[in-house]
Each structure stands twice: as structure tokens, then as C-alpha cells.
Amino acid sequence: MTKGAPQLSFTVSLTGKEDAVRIGLAEAMALLAPLELDADEAGTVELVLAEALNNIVEHALAATDGDTAIQIHAKHGPNGLQVAIIDEGVPMPLGKAPVGNAPTLDVETLDMPEGGFGWFMIHSLAQQVQYQRVGESNHLNLLLAVGL
């Protein structure tokens, strides 16, 4: 942690709707302001959170009316920013977070993938990515080496 960096811990609650993701993401980023992250670090946090939250809305909560809650718990410590994202959507396939392999780009332009980059980015930018199903809830735990 940067010398004199403030201790930081917060929770953001949002519903599983696309517009709520934007609002919740903005709230989380505002709550990180005391860390005085540089542009690269802030961009990393924002990208990882956006990808994770959008995946939750698009996949885990797709069969709901969008009123299902998502919780973002964040705590900054000596190893960086620990983030736990909890939702009550359907579990991840096979009980694991996707591996996050890079999509194949050595193909004809018309065959280029339209998706598949999100988990690759999450795994590339986070130092730790852990998923577990706890009762009826999904718990995605991330460690981001920012504010150090």
C-alpha cells in the first residue's frame, strides 16, 4: 500500500439491471477516490468490475426480472483491492468461473468472435479470480493490485 494510503472498505448494492450496473459502477469508482488511483489503475478496476457485473446480469440473472440484488464488497489492503461480488443468480456452469482463454483471432474477418473477451480480460487484469457457490449465492472474489 502506498505510504499513508487510507484504509478503505465499502459495499455497493444494486439490482441486476443494465442501467443499475452503470450506476453501481460509478458509485464504486467514486468510493475508491480516497486511494487516488492513477488512470491505469482506475481503468483496470472499472473494466474488471464492468465485465463481471455485466456477465452477472447477462447470464446469472438472465431469467430473473432484474430485481435480484448484487452486492459489491471492496476492501483495500496491503496486497491491493479485494473485491467480492455476490449475486443470487444461477450458478456458473460446472461450478467454476470460466478459464478466460484468449479468443482465437487468427481467422477471417467474418469469423472474428463477437464475445469471449470478458473473462480473458478479468483473468489478465486480476491477480486472483476465485468463484464459489455458497448456498443460493454466487461469490466472485477478485484481487486487483492497485493502490500499492
Side-chain angles (χ1 to χ4, degrees), residues 13-22 53-71 86-89:
S13 299
L14 58 141
T15 60
K17 297 180 181 178
E18 288 180 21
D19 57 339
V21 167
R22 287 188 292 277
L53 293 170
N54 283 319
N55 279 337
I56 290 168
V57 171
E58 291 174 20
H59 302 290
L61 301 178
T64 70
D65 58 8
D67 288 332
T68 304
I70 301 171
Q71 301 284 321
I86 302 169
D87 70 83
E88 293 184 359

Side-chain angles (χ1 to χ4, degrees), residues 98-109:
V99 175
N101 294 326
T104 302
L105 301 178
D106 188 22
V107 296
E108 295 294 323
T109 303

